[in-house]
Amino acid sequence: MDLKIKRVYEKPEDSDGFRILTDRLWPRGISKEKAALDLWEKAIAPSPELRKWFGHEPEKFEEFREKYREELEKNPETERLISLVKEALAKGPVTLLFGAKDKEHNQAVVLQEFLQEKGSAS
């Protein structure tokens, strides 16, 4: 099965499969039609405090990863998301979408790793 990440600003493709936005805030300058989402998972996004502290600064990413993973472990919505992703992956690919410009240092990277470790994806 295929669990991918992609910027929400990139053109949607059939190969994306089930598309989940992982940002708490709606990405600037993109319409709901262009985003072509299947689901917006605000509840599993990093907390506003963590998001502001991180500020997409690559040098803070390792600490951000640890803190966000702690939030995911404590978040009551996480188990629901794990089940949902497992179900969606049984039918085809799943793409976690993010708005950040940095493709290597963002919450979708951490969430993808987390879900893979929890057995949602292989």
Side-chain angles (χ1 to χ4, degrees), residues 10-56:
E10 293 176 42
K11 190 175 190 280
E13 298 170 311
D14 290 341
S15 62
D16 292 343
F18 194 80
R19 292 168 51 90
I20 304 172
L21 180 62
T22 64
D23 290 352
R24 188 171 297 273
L25 304 174
W26 186 260
R28 289 187 186 161
I30 191 162
S31 67
K32 289 202 178 358
E33 293 75 34
K34 277 196 173 158
L37 300 182
D38 292 296
L39 187 64
W40 181 11
E41 275 294 328
K42 291 181 262 195
I44 52 86
S47 66
E49 299 77 25
L50 182 57
R51 183 180 55 80
K52 287 174 187 158
W53 169 82
F54 175 44
H56 297 286

Side-chain angles (χ1 to χ4, degrees), residues 5-6 10-11 45-46 48-49 53 56 67 73-74 76 95 98 101 105 107-108 111 115:
I5 62 171
K6 181 176 182 175
E10 293 176 42
K11 190 175 190 280
E49 299 77 25
W53 169 82
H56 297 286
K67 290 180 178 189
E73 290 287 356
K74 293 176 186 168
T95 301
F98 61 94
K101 289 185 177 107
H105 305 99
Q107 80 276 1
L111 186 57
L115 290 170

Side-chain angles (χ1 to χ4, degrees), residues 13-122:
E13 298 170 311
D14 290 341
S15 62
D16 292 343
F18 194 80
R19 292 168 51 90
I20 304 172
L21 180 62
T22 64
D23 290 352
R24 188 171 297 273
L25 304 174
W26 186 260
R28 289 187 186 161
I30 191 162
S31 67
K32 289 202 178 358
E33 293 75 34
K34 277 196 173 158
L37 300 182
D38 292 296
L39 187 64
W40 181 11
E41 275 294 328
K42 291 181 262 195
I44 52 86
S47 66
E49 299 77 25
L50 182 57
R51 183 180 55 80
K52 287 174 187 158
W53 169 82
F54 175 44
H56 297 286
E57 295 176 39
E59 61 276 7
K60 290 183 177 177
F61 185 68
E62 287 309 315
E63 192 174 349
F64 168 78
R65 174 185 272 137
E66 287 176 32
K67 290 180 178 189
Y68 181 37
R69 290 176 67 92
E70 284 174 23
E71 287 186 354
L72 287 168
E73 290 287 356
K74 293 176 186 168
N75 188 335
E77 295 295 322
T78 300
E79 282 303 316
R80 180 186 55 77
L81 178 68
I82 290 169
S83 297
L84 189 140
V85 170
K86 277 182 185 175
E87 276 180 44
L89 282 168
K91 299 172 189 161
V94 173
T95 301
L96 304 175
L97 302 167
F98 61 94
K101 289 185 177 107
D102 187 333
K103 294 181 180 186
E104 295 170 26
H105 305 99
N106 63 69
Q107 80 276 1
V109 171
V110 180
L111 186 57
Q112 180 188 39
E113 292 168 355
F114 183 87
L115 290 170
Q116 287 171 331
E117 287 168 20
K118 295 295 182 185
S120 286
S122 49

